[in-house]
Amino acid sequence: MASAELRHFVKNSKKVIATTTNYLPMLKILNIEKPTVPILFMKPTSSYIEEGQAIKLPHGFTVNQEIELGVVIGKRCKAVKESNAMEMVGGYCAALDMTATCQMKEARSKGLSWLLGKGFDTACPVSRFIGKNEICDPNNVQLWSCVNGELRQNGNTKDFIFSIPTLISYISAYITLEPNDVVLTGTPPGMGPVKAGDIIEGGIKDIVTFKFCVE
């Protein structure tokens, strides 16, 4: 699909598939072993927002900000080999995986659903569409996020546990990926809680920035 059409990926996306624990430095922080396969979850498309819209915290929720590289799918793909996976990529975006830690703690400990913790309305703020030509090597880009001007996250996708081709190949073995779908690739260390009135800024160094207010 042409980049011009993918610029409206938020409007036309059918699903957001995300992976967790995909940065090597997080293993030491969480004191866990390296996963052998990607750990996946989904966000509904109703969680998307773009600049100019506010992140709205559900009543009583404690929510963290998590900066991520999003991969915008450009071609319908099923059971794609890793060697062909980058051909399926239409472009990229910077994204925030807003995470209700209050929900996730119980979900992890009791084996419950992640839906509310990851999929509430406004839980997936995204930047503008980034063309493939703007990122020479998606496995070596610098991601950052600030809250109220204070740097929290500053990580590089070179620390991926699972590369973009690996993620696309693994996901597409079970779930067909379609044009405008987004794959979120995980977050580097430094995420933390936000509250109403905070301003979150983030992006990809030298490529894109965004700003969202929290309500």
Side-chain angles (χ1 to χ4, degrees):
M1 181 173 286
S3 293
E5 298 173 87
L6 292 172
R7 292 183 188 280
H8 304 290
F9 71 94
V10 170
K11 177 182 178 181
N12 298 316
S13 179
K14 292 184 178 179
K15 54 188 172 292
V16 181
I17 300 180
T19 186
T20 185
T21 318
N22 196 34
Y23 278 77
L24 287 168
M26 290 297 297
L27 299 180
K28 185 175 182 179
I29 292 171
L30 298 173
N31 192 29
I32 59 174
E33 294 184 0
K34 183 178 177 179
T36 57
V37 295
I39 303 168
L40 305 175
F41 62 92
M42 295 184 70
K43 287 176 175 278
T45 56
S46 54
S47 66
Y48 278 129
I49 56 171
E50 298 177 272
E51 279 198 279
Q53 298 176 285
I55 298 168
K56 297 185 178 181
L57 305 181
H59 179 71
F61 275 27
T62 301
V63 176
N64 279 5
Q65 106 294 340
E66 301 182 7
I67 188 71
E68 309 208 0
L69 175 66
V71 179
V72 182
I73 300 300
K75 297 179 182 179
R76 187 178 187 275
C77 51
K78 174 67 177 175
V80 176
K81 295 180 180 179
E82 284 191 37
S83 58
N84 298 327
M86 291 305 294
E87 298 173 16
M88 307 299 121
V89 175
Y92 305 93
C93 66
L96 290 170
D97 172 19
M98 302 304 295
T99 300
T101 54
C102 55
Q103 293 286 320
M104 294 303 298
K105 183 177 180 180
E106 183 178 17
R108 288 188 174 106
S109 64
K110 297 182 180 180
L112 302 177
S113 169
W114 288 23
L115 181 59
L116 292 184
K118 292 287 192 177
F120 59 89
D121 287 350
T122 76
C124 191
V126 295
S127 73
R128 67 167 177 84
F129 175 77
I130 301 167
K132 289 181 71 173
N133 63 311
E134 296 182 72
I135 295 182
C136 297
D137 181 5
N139 291 300
N140 185 17
V141 296
Q142 199 76 16
L143 295 165
W144 61 275
S145 71
C146 291
V147 177
N148 301 327
E150 180 181 347
L151 183 66
R152 283 196 179 174
Q153 294 179 280
N154 187 25
N156 196 293
T157 58
K158 66 184 180 182
D159 289 326
F160 276 163
I161 295 171
F162 302 106
S163 68
I164 291 170
T166 299
L167 290 174
I168 291 174
S169 179
Y170 183 80
I171 293 168
S172 70
Y174 305 96
I175 301 171
T176 300
L177 291 169
E178 301 170 278
N180 299 292
D181 287 349
V182 170
V183 175
L184 297 181
T185 56
T187 193
M191 69 287 283
V194 296
K195 63 184 185 304
D198 284 349
I199 301 295
I200 303 174
E201 297 173 271
I204 302 171
K205 185 179 179 181
D206 300 326
I207 296 172
V208 73
T209 61
F210 58 41
K211 180 187 292 187
F212 290 92
C213 62
V214 180
E215 295 181 351

